[in-house]
Amino acid sequence: MVQKIRVAIIEDNATARATIRSHLITMGNLEVSSFSTGSELRNVLRKQHFELLIFDFHLGQRRNGVEWVQALRQADFIRPSTGIIFLTADRMPQTIGQIIDIHPDLLLLKPYTINSLQRGLNHYLEYREQASKALLYLDDGYCDKAISLLEEQLKGALSARLRSDLEKLRARLLLQEHRYAEALSIYHQVLQQSDKVLWAQWGKLKCQFLMGNWPDCQESLDAMLDTLLTRDKAFEWLACLSFEQAAYEKTEYYLDHIQDSDLSLPATRLKTMTYQRQNRVIESIDLLQKKREYNRSTKERFDEFTFELAEFYLSIAQDNPMNNRAESLTQARKLAGVAARSQGDSLVRQRHDYLLAYSYVLEDQGAKARNLTQREHMQVFNRSSANTLITAARVFSALGNETQALYLLDMAKVKSELGEMPAEQQTLQSRLISAEKESGLAHSRADVFNEQGQQLFVKEAYQEALAAFYHALQLRPAMPAIALNMLQTLLVEQQNSYRNVYLNHLVQQIQQSELTETNQQRFARLQKKFPQINEVLRAAANPDTANPVAPDYP
């Protein structure tokens, strides 16, 4: 007997919901459920799984469909194999761009016909049947097996559309497995046939970003600024590049091109952090207050910005001496209470209680904080957000439980890397670095990442090694052994830079450091093997006659 495909419709309009359901039931082999809100769907997802989710974009006075997909994915309520279809009457470029950013399997614009809906669904079901074994591997955590299977299938005879869908899945999985060059090759091939394919444009950009290839990122983003579908997101990416280079005025310049009312939560967070780095705290608070007011009629979004403002007040308290924290702590507790009010969700309650516990830590009331952490809902972290995990790690570190703090920081790092929005990854990783430093764990964490990078280098997983060394270098920038590891990996990968670390600057930094005898010998061996190092040193010695940038690789 063929197993039925379980489908969930999420649509706030009862008539539209019933109409879609009636269309689907006639197709057969579909087990259809329907929900008016994302909250209803989430409650059911705690107990059962759906193979396909059909979202309306606008869901009344609640989060929109894209926001619900992102939230459910981050909390592991949606399996990797789950299909996503969007229906919307909103043809605004910003809306279409948001939907395309999360890589839906199908997007239909209202008013659609029964035939177009059924054609789209039939194609999705054909694709799902073709990819079923690969999707099963994916759900079981065997991404490498899923990729191998897809590669075999793509050698066979397939329709053009089905081939495109399988290539799209393969590229996404290669990206997930850090095989960036292979994924980039697929995106390039698609864009050679048509440079208007948005999922391939964003896929190419994400590969370039994760490879640390920021010059190419900049070039790709500049090309997207003239298109309404990609303009705001391109400015957000450019702001992220500038923020990590501590170019805060430039970050603000890019974010100012997006209207405050259109700023996503991660982009708003990035802008408030940009203000804060420039000692403009009042402007950070004003922006968050403004975003709360914009979203007062949208409960979940209003609560998210309220939590964000509470966390910001805690950061203000943290930066002040003990005798000058009372007002900020009072504001933080009040706001956290408003955000959690009348919510029975255990994750919301956990977020509130860890913020409260951290406020006690900042007030030197360790006993109160410890009592909060011992509650049952405070011990389960598998669905916790990265922000909650970082706050919890700060609390446990302050209470002397370094083991638990390190465990939570590792979880937060994994979650931060899963974020699909650039500003989300940027701000979470920035908060993670700050937490590691402020908790006194920077040196031990740097050693962990340096060791991970060395193991990855031996396995020739150079891109992953670069990411590990980069994180270690952010925590211990003056550590020559880490800088040497980063330099060697850049040279082996034939890269002139990785994110905001440039090969020529790294060479000069190492040369000017006090090296142990072992590190001196290692640097000499690298100089002998890679003549680029000596070219950089000669350029630094003769700045008037030489190109200060490391030469391109042949």
Side-chain angles (χ1 to χ4, degrees), residues 57-197:
F57 180 78
H58 292 291
L59 293 173
Q61 304 302 310
R62 300 278 174 171
R63 287 173 173 158
N64 65 45
V66 167
E67 290 169 333
W68 270 113
V69 170
Q70 291 167 334
L72 294 170
R73 279 177 174 169
Q74 288 170 11
D76 294 326
F77 281 111
I78 299 179
R79 293 182 185 177
S81 65
T82 301
I84 305 291
I85 290 177
F86 264 91
L87 309 173
T88 184
D90 188 342
R91 295 168 183 262
M92 290 288 291
Q94 294 90 338
T95 298
I96 304 302
Q98 280 187 63
I99 294 172
I100 291 173
D101 281 349
I102 62 167
H103 310 296
D105 295 279
L106 179 66
L107 166 61
L108 285 178
L109 296 176
K110 300 176 183 177
Y112 54 84
T113 65
I114 296 175
N115 284 339
S116 64
L117 175 63
Q118 291 185 337
R119 275 198 311 273
L121 276 170
N122 280 327
H123 172 75
Y124 171 76
L125 294 174
E126 180 189 1
Y127 151 75
R128 189 173 183 91
E129 183 179 358
Q130 189 76 28
S132 59
K133 290 183 180 178
L135 294 174
L136 188 60
Y137 278 137
L138 192 57
D139 282 344
D140 290 339
Y142 299 117
C143 193
D144 53 342
K145 291 184 178 180
I147 293 169
S148 297
L149 185 61
L150 288 170
E151 288 170 348
E152 285 301 313
Q153 288 178 287
L154 285 163
K155 293 176 183 176
L158 299 166
S159 68
R161 187 173 176 185
L162 195 54
R163 180 175 297 278
S164 173
D165 287 337
L166 293 179
E167 282 284 29
K168 181 180 177 182
L169 175 60
R170 177 170 163 254
R172 178 165 66 86
L173 299 187
L174 287 167
L175 196 61
Q176 186 177 313
E177 287 293 284
H178 310 286
R179 292 163 61 178
Y180 306 131
E182 294 171 75
L184 189 58
S185 175
I186 295 173
Y187 295 129
H188 275 310
Q189 288 172 17
V190 172
L191 292 170
Q192 281 175 355
Q193 296 172 8
S194 172
D195 62 359
K196 305 299 183 187
V197 182

Side-chain angles (χ1 to χ4, degrees), residues 218-438:
Q218 181 87 35
E219 185 179 337
S220 297
L221 288 164
D222 287 344
M224 294 178 174
L225 293 176
D226 295 329
T227 305
L228 284 174
L229 279 174
T230 57
R231 184 175 178 273
D232 281 3
K233 192 62 67 179
F235 278 124
E236 193 174 310
W237 276 94
L238 287 165
C240 291
L241 300 186
S242 300
F243 183 87
E244 193 156 338
Q245 296 176 86
Y248 301 123
E249 289 185 6
K250 201 171 182 181
T251 306
E252 185 181 346
Y253 167 80
Y254 287 129
L255 290 173
D256 281 346
H257 282 79
I258 309 172
Q259 292 185 14
D260 285 348
S261 57
D262 293 331
L263 284 169
S264 64
L265 173 61
T268 302
R269 184 185 298 145
L270 183 64
K271 196 166 188 177
T272 60
M273 291 172 71
T274 302
Y275 286 145
Q276 192 174 24
R277 297 290 171 90
Q278 299 177 85
N279 298 313
R280 292 158 60 190
V281 171
I282 299 301
E283 287 171 85
S284 296
I285 293 171
D286 286 346
L287 176 59
L288 288 168
Q289 290 282 25
K290 192 186 297 183
K291 291 296 291 186
R292 288 180 75 221
E293 288 304 314
Y294 283 146
N295 293 284
R296 186 167 286 279
S297 62
T298 308
K299 178 171 172 48
E300 287 91 350
R301 213 176 297 143
F302 175 80
D303 290 341
E304 282 290 340
F305 282 108
T306 302
F307 269 129
E308 195 66 34
L309 187 55
E311 290 182 357
F312 190 81
Y313 272 111
L314 287 178
S315 74
I316 295 173
Q318 175 188 297
D319 292 340
N320 281 320
M322 183 72 71
N323 61 359
N324 197 24
R325 293 177 175 176
E327 184 179 349
S328 296
L329 292 176
T330 298
Q331 287 289 348
R333 288 168 185 159
K334 178 182 175 182
L335 287 161
V338 169
R341 187 170 53 204
S342 304
Q343 290 216 28
D345 191 300
S346 61
L347 294 177
V348 173
R349 192 164 70 252
Q350 185 190 63
R351 184 176 184 182
H352 168 272
D353 287 354
Y354 270 114
L355 289 175
L356 186 58
Y358 189 50
S359 76
Y360 290 144
V361 163
L362 293 174
E363 214 167 36
D364 202 20
Q365 296 192 59
K368 282 188 175 182
R370 186 171 285 105
N371 286 339
L372 270 177
T373 64
Q374 291 170 354
R375 296 178 180 178
E376 184 178 351
H377 68 281
M378 302 287 271
Q379 306 297 320
V380 182
F381 297 104
N382 59 316
R383 297 193 189 278
S384 303
S385 69
N387 272 316
T388 298
L389 293 168
I390 292 169
T391 304
R394 288 180 182 274
V395 171
F396 282 107
S397 177
L399 295 176
N401 190 342
E402 186 174 311
T403 301
Q404 182 72 341
L406 291 171
Y407 168 72
L408 294 171
L409 288 170
D410 281 333
M411 285 187 70
K413 186 172 188 301
V414 171
K415 293 244 181 181
S416 71
E417 291 167 350
L418 296 175
E420 294 175 355
M421 301 175 72
E424 181 180 25
Q425 283 195 353
Q426 183 66 58
T427 55
L428 286 175
Q429 289 172 13
S430 180
R431 284 184 172 182
L432 185 63
I433 292 288
S434 296
E436 289 167 328
K437 290 178 177 178
E438 291 155 8

